[in-house]
Amino acid sequence: MDKLALLTTMKILCFGVAREIAGANHLILDHVAGGTVAELRASLLLAYPAFGDLVSFAVARNEEYARDTDIIQSGDEVVIIPPVAGG
Amino acid sequence: MDKLALLTTMKILCFGVAREIAGANHLILDHVAGGTVAELRASLLLAYPAFGDLVSFAVARNEEYARDTDIIQSGDEVVIIPPVAGG
Amino acid sequence: MADPDPHIDILLSGEPLSLDHCRQFVSDPSCGGCCFFVGTIRDLNLGQTVTHLEFEAYAPMAVREMRKIAVAARAQFGLHAVALHHRTGDLAIGDTAVIVAVSSKHRQPAFEGCAFIIDELKQTVPIWKREFRGDGTHWLNARP
Amino acid sequence: MADPDPHIDILLSGEPLSLDHCRQFVSDPSCGGCCFFVGTIRDLNLGQTVTHLEFEAYAPMAVREMRKIAVAARAQFGLHAVALHHRTGDLAIGDTAVIVAVSSKHRQPAFEGCAFIIDELKQTVPIWKREFRGDGTHWLNARP
């Protein structure tokens, strides 16, 4: 991975069925920082179409649910939250 | 107590505030057997007017709540049930 | 006398009640949830300090009425099992007066059945509570 | 880190949960009632036999969301205290997945607050359940 890639890619954490789809506990997406959560969703579905088969998924930014209009900052902890099933 | 009194009186069990009003865990009323629960209530209020100060009271016959129209039989276990307060 | 219904456990006792016993009684692999209500003695009632409390029961009828409520709750809410335990005698602040334990496949009927049982118990079971308060001794609910 | 609110006890743990611990945490002389919900692993789901089950959590966020629910429940229902404990890792049939414990002056808010907490937990807390069933392995709720 060259220096430019390091600057523009972001590690997205994956749990549950998202981990299964990603094949690892994280996945890497390009050009996430500076964009919106909605743009992240679009990139994710392009790179991993299997996320489209889920009932839904949310995105967490720094341990809080993010809105689609939120801007992701470089250094944020970003996590795919598939449908929860606690209790 | 002569034989006639034994035949016509009935021992009525008292709990809680009823025991306090009766001054014992039971009271004796005359001519209860053969009459209705409503008649028992009337006799009770005549003999112990303090029962009229309660919010209400029920009568149990053989461990079941009795209706005012029920007939009390000689040999029944009759109990004054002041307002309950379990829990 | 053993309870005729193996899914119902009724107890009226002068000894401390056990939540763990009730839980074990109602637990079952078919159930996704148990709901418990534990009623305890409060230190204040009607603005008065309560020092302690006494429960008196017409025991045979109280047990019959408690069983009726458990049977009705199982039928109405489709509960798997019900344990209903109530204390008698002298209780101190914080002591457990009553335990309602229910189990069911899903949680909604467990909550509703548990609330139904304690509501009914307070309406119909011949148990009386005498409170020893700062302002004297009172049979609860007796007078207007 | 100690919980900042002394009336709230949140736990996400790989070890068995303790109802007794939760009960002791919420009990208080000012309270007339405690309500508990204990969620356990059922042997059947959607008509299929369940053999065991695994809970995975995004732990730091799960704990934050659990605490938010407890804070909201205390405010909305006027509860005295809330304990909310959830398991992670491998669970067998009958094991306890979650305990909700609440205490309050009167029983109605205790029931309502307890039901609110488990309903919210199932909606918002990032915990995932993988069921091992007769027909395979399933992440619950994930797919239509």
Side-chain angles (χ1 to χ4, degrees), chain A residues 7-13 27-44 57-81:
Chain A
L7 286 172
T8 61
T9 63
M10 186 172 246
K11 185 172 160 176
I12 316 280
L13 300 182
L27 52 81
I28 305 284
L29 286 182
D30 234 351
H31 300 297
V32 168
T36 63
V37 169
E39 286 162 351
L40 163 64
R41 288 176 172 282
S43 307
L44 183 72
F57 65 88
V59 174
R61 195 168 74 88
N62 301 330
E63 304 179 4
E64 299 280 354
Y65 283 103
R67 282 160 302 192
D68 273 359
T69 52
D70 287 353
I71 306 289
I72 296 168
Q73 313 287 341
S74 138
D76 283 351
E77 179 169 286
V78 177
V79 182
I80 309 294
I81 309 281

Side-chain angles (χ1 to χ4, degrees), chain A residues 19-20 64-65 77 85 87, chain D residues 56 58 64 68 86 124 127:
Chain A
R19 186 167 50 70
E20 218 168 76
E64 299 280 354
Y65 283 103
E77 179 169 286
Chain D
E56 182 172 328
Y58 173 29
R64 284 171 81 110
K68 277 185 202 171
H86 202 294
T124 64
I127 296 176

Side-chain angles (χ1 to χ4, degrees), chain D:
Chain D
M1 186 185 73
D3 205 296
D5 183 332
H7 297 97
I8 292 177
D9 181 38
I10 303 295
L11 180 71
L12 184 70
S13 168
E15 301 299 316
L17 307 181
S18 164
L19 178 58
D20 195 52
H21 173 101
C22 291
R23 184 197 182 173
Q24 285 178 32
F25 182 83
V26 298
S27 291
D28 191 84
S30 68
C31 293
C34 298
C35 182
F36 304 89
F37 176 76
V38 176
T40 49
I41 307 306
R42 287 170 56 208
D43 58 4
L44 268 181
N45 195 16
L46 308 170
Q48 291 286 332
T49 303
V50 176
T51 57
H52 65 288
L53 189 142
E54 185 194 325
F55 279 110
E56 182 172 328
Y58 173 29
M61 181 173 166
V63 167
R64 284 171 81 110
E65 292 291 325
M66 288 163 78
R67 181 168 293 119
K68 277 185 202 171
I69 295 169
V71 168
R74 284 196 71 223
Q76 188 170 336
F77 300 97
L79 305 177
H80 173 75
V82 172
L84 179 51
H85 290 194
H86 202 294
R87 270 298 301 275
T88 55
D90 293 329
L91 276 78
I93 303 308
D95 281 356
T96 296
V98 61
I99 298 176
V100 184
V102 312
S103 56
S104 75
K105 221 163 135 180
H106 300 293
R107 70 187 186 282
Q108 183 72 8
F111 278 110
E112 291 175 0
C114 192
F116 167 86
I117 290 168
I118 186 65
D119 287 353
E120 286 293 306
L121 179 139
K122 285 172 179 272
Q123 296 293 321
T124 64
V125 177
I127 296 176
W128 298 275
K129 186 181 339 199
R130 178 151 61 163
E131 262 182 12
F132 297 80
R133 298 204 300 247
D135 61 347
T137 295
H138 301 268
W139 289 101
L140 268 284
N141 302 350
R143 299 178 194 279

